[in-house]
């Protein structure tokens, strides 16, 4: 089995110097128009300098109406190139692979943030979302591809498509959400078509060694595990992506669906033939022992989220097998020292039990 500090090659693009990938973490720190802020630059470059083999941006929206949260990094216009270029250069200078996560929130774009009704594969009353026309689906595919081209122009080594967590690509995959009757709805094949067409477009229009990953959720959001396993099997057999990033919520858990229980959720993906495609897992991996256990269970690399918020140099710290992240809750001063700006600090303060709550004297 590989160890956590063994380099990992991809079919395309530079190798990771170790098996630690920074999770794409919402941090609310960019400017309202999507341009990179100094706070977000500092947050990400500290992780690259802290030893992550691959440093991924937060979810960066590919259309203005795809914005999912305030202060989100944008990759939908050339006005974003200056900041993205600066960021890519600094990440790579620190010896880390530089990747942008491409995102569109779909029905989860807040109306008061985007100024209009959000869009979705189908009308969705709960979110006040309207169905995309077929022409708009074509536009969405083009804008994902254009964002990849823009990321390449900025100097990034690759991009990851965000197909997880109930955002627009995940909405297409969900038979509960996607009620379309055209070529993008109905069968599992049709519901996954948008992802295949984006992948094909990125491959056609970016350089041959441009790294391409995909993040998937295996359950929740109306998804069916069998569909996601089949999609993962197909994508790894085709070899058009370089890695699959499975967001498991908890790397130790069993599937929610009763028919699949009795084995770990992770095992349904580690058991698949993967050819040259690398497989990574995310989900409450907080210690070196847990990270090593994921590799022993068959993953090629681990994606680190909360532990990377707590320690910008988690990979370096993990060289000591006995290392444990600082216990929660932590002070705002600790997080500030770890490179979180004011907006990110306020956001983390909303995570129950993460930040020490300041008390005021009566």
């Amino acid at each position: 089995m590989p160890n956590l500090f063994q380099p990992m090659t991809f079919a395309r693009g530079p190798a990771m110097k170790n098996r630690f990938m920074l999770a794409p973490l919402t941090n609310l720190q960019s400017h309202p128009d999507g341009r990179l802020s100094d706070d977000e630059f500092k947050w990400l470059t500290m992780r690259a300098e802290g030893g992550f083999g691959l440093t991924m941006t937060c979810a960066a929206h590919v259309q203005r109406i795809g914005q999912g949260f305030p202060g989100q990094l944008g990759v939908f216009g050339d006005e974003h190139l200056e900041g993205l270029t600066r960021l890519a250069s600094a990440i790579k200078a620190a010896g880390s692979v530089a990747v942008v996560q491409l995102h569109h929130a779909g029905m989860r774009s807040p109306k008061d943030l985007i100024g209009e009704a959000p869009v979705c594969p189908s009308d969705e009353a709960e979110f006040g979302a309207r169905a995309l026309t077929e022409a708009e689906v074509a536009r969405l595919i083009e804008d994902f591809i254009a964002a990849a081209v823009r990321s390449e122009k900025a100097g990034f080594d690759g991009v990851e498509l965000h197909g997880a967590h109930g955002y627009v690509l995940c909405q297409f995959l969900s038979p509960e959400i996607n009620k379309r009757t055209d070529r993008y709805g109905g069968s599992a094949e049709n519901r996954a078509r948008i992802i295949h067409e984006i992948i094909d477009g990125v491959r056609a229009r970016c350089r041959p060694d441009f790294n391409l990953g995909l993040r998937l959720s295996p359950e929740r959001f109306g998804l069916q595990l069998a569909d996601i396993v089949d999609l993962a099997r197909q994508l790894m057999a085709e070899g058009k992506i370089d890695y699959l990033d499975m967001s498991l919520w908890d790397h130790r858990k069993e599937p929610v669906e009763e028919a699949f229980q009795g084995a770990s959720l992770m095992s349904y993906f580690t058991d698949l033939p993967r050819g040259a495609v690398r497989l990574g897992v995310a989900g409450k991996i907080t210690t070196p022992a847990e990270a090593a256990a994921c590799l022993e269970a068959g993953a090629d690399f681990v994606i680190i989220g909360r532990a990377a918020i707590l320690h910008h140099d988690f990979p370096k710290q993990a060289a000591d097998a006995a290392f444990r992240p600082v216990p929660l809750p932590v002070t705002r001063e600790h997080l500030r020292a770890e490179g979180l700006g004011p907006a990110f600090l306020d956001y983390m303060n909303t995570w129950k039990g993460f930040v020490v709550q300041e008390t005021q004297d009566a």
Side-chain angles (χ1 to χ4, degrees), residues 63 65-67 104-111 114 116-124 127-133 136-137 140 166-168 171-172 177 180:
Q63 289 183 338
I65 64 164
Q67 186 173 0
H104 190 294
M107 69 184 185
R108 296 180 65 187
S109 295
K111 183 177 181 179
I114 63 172
E116 59 185 277
V119 295
C120 186
S122 307
D123 291 332
E124 188 65 42
F127 290 87
R130 64 171 182 83
L132 290 156
T133 66
E136 287 174 326
V137 175
L140 178 61
Y167 296 119
V168 81
Q171 291 160 27
F172 271 91
I177 298 170
R180 300 180 72 93

Side-chain angles (χ1 to χ4, degrees), residues 81-101:
L81 273 171
E82 181 181 359
L84 292 169
T85 301
R86 176 186 174 217
L87 179 60
S89 176
I91 290 172
K92 293 195 295 186
S96 188
V97 179
V99 169
V100 180
Q101 190 190 58

Side-chain angles (χ1 to χ4, degrees), residues 288-326:
E290 289 171 339
C294 290
L295 267 56
E296 289 163 8
D300 292 309
F301 64 94
V302 292
I303 301 106
I304 305 296
R306 293 185 184 209
I309 297 173
L310 296 172
H311 298 280
H312 75 280
D313 57 352
F314 180 86
K316 291 182 179 178
Q317 298 270 22
D320 177 359
F323 170 68
R324 298 290 182 275
V326 60

Side-chain angles (χ1 to χ4, degrees), residues 40-57:
E40 187 150 13
F41 177 85
K42 178 182 179 181
W43 147 256
L44 287 165
T45 54
M46 276 185 72
R47 271 73 202 160
E49 293 161 0
F52 280 90
L54 186 151
T55 301
M56 194 179 304
T57 70

Side-chain angles (χ1 to χ4, degrees), residues 4 39 51 112 129 184 205 224 228 266 344:
L4 291 167
D39 282 348
D112 60 355
Y184 295 102
R205 287 166 54 189
Q224 295 179 351
I228 304 303
M266 188 197 307
F344 200 178

Side-chain angles (χ1 to χ4, degrees), residues 120-122 161-180 184-196 214-232 234-235 244 246:
C120 186
S122 307
L161 308 179
H162 196 339
H165 301 173
Y167 296 119
V168 81
L169 299 182
C170 186
Q171 291 160 27
F172 271 91
L173 292 175
S174 170
E176 284 187 14
I177 298 170
N178 184 351
K179 303 297 186 185
R180 300 180 72 93
Y184 295 102
S187 67
E189 178 186 4
N190 280 355
R191 286 182 275 114
R193 186 182 305 277
I194 187 171
I195 290 176
H196 288 289
L214 172 66
R215 170 164 269 205
L216 291 176
S217 295
E219 55 186 19
R220 299 175 60 177
F221 314 109
L223 299 172
Q224 295 179 351
L225 179 56
D227 286 350
I228 304 303
V229 171
D230 285 345
L231 176 59
Q234 181 182 3
L235 289 167
L244 189 61
M246 294 305 307

Side-chain angles (χ1 to χ4, degrees), residues 239-310:
K240 293 177 183 177
I241 60 171
D242 297 299
Y243 65 89
L244 189 61
D245 163 3
M246 294 305 307
S247 184
L248 304 175
W249 302 104
D250 187 331
H251 67 281
R252 297 156 293 205
K253 77 184 297 294
E254 290 190 8
V256 169
E257 292 178 55
E258 202 171 320
F260 292 92
Q261 291 174 358
S264 72
L265 182 58
M266 188 197 307
S267 69
Y268 285 95
F269 300 93
T270 55
D271 286 349
L272 295 173
R274 65 190 75 158
V277 178
R278 303 301 192 179
L279 176 67
V281 294
K284 298 184 179 176
I285 303 168
T286 60
T287 67
E290 289 171 339
C294 290
L295 267 56
E296 289 163 8
D300 292 309
F301 64 94
V302 292
I303 301 106
I304 305 296
R306 293 185 184 209
I309 297 173
L310 296 172

